[in-house]
Amino acid sequence: MKKLLSFLAIVGILLASNCTRITENNDPVIGIWSHISKDGGVTQKQDITVRQEWIFNDAYLGRYHTYHNKDLTIISDFKWVHKDSVYVISYPGLDKEEDIVLMTESDNGIILADSEGNILAIRE
């Protein structure tokens, strides 16, 4: 009898745990986005290539990287929210302002740009 009750308890736990479903997030922003720029100062003899990279995942989180030439200088997590047609990207723990961008299509491909048209990132 004790074995039967234990078995029924295990079956009940398994059935109850399978009832929850995680909603699937198919947002088009999910993936890798990047922006490359040149940074050359007055005292520098050579330009430095700065590459920023955002990796968006389906849990409304992501990873942000900054490379100077090929050296990784910043690595941080970020959160993102999609409200209407606007994406808000926040960087907790990093001294960086929120990015508020729209996804649009241009000659360069699909881009994330602010309300003034300045490109934040291009889809890879």
Side-chain angles (χ1 to χ4, degrees):
M1 186 68 169
K2 193 174 186 182
K3 289 182 183 181
L4 179 63
L5 289 176
S6 297
F7 176 73
L8 290 175
I10 291 172
V11 170
I13 291 170
L14 289 175
L15 289 174
S17 66
N18 287 333
C19 291
T20 60
R21 294 213 182 252
I22 299 172
T23 58
E24 191 170 339
N25 184 353
N26 291 325
D27 198 287
V29 78
I30 295 172
I32 301 173
W33 299 76
S34 66
H35 184 262
I36 299 173
S37 62
K38 297 283 186 183
D39 183 22
V42 177
T43 60
Q44 294 177 345
K45 295 180 180 177
Q46 187 177 7
D47 286 341
I48 295 175
T49 302
V50 178
R51 174 183 165 86
Q52 295 176 295
E53 182 178 83
W54 293 262
I55 304 170
F56 290 82
N57 68 29
D58 62 347
Y60 299 99
L61 299 170
R63 181 63 56 101
Y64 171 71
H65 301 126
T66 300
Y67 298 90
H68 286 86
N69 288 335
K70 294 189 178 184
D71 298 325
L72 179 63
T73 56
I74 297 173
I75 185 168
S76 178
D77 295 328
F78 66 86
K79 297 178 184 178
W80 63 275
V81 178
H82 185 205
K83 298 177 185 174
D84 301 324
S85 62
V86 175
Y87 291 93
V88 179
I89 307 166
S90 59
Y91 307 89
L94 194 61
D95 189 22
K96 183 171 171 46
E97 289 186 29
E98 284 185 339
D99 291 314
I100 301 172
V101 294
L102 299 163
M103 185 184 302
T104 59
E105 198 161 335
S106 73
D107 297 337
N108 298 331
I110 300 173
I111 63 170
L112 294 176
D114 64 13
S115 60
E116 297 173 358
N118 299 319
I119 296 175
L120 175 74
I122 299 172
R123 178 183 287 285
E124 290 190 358

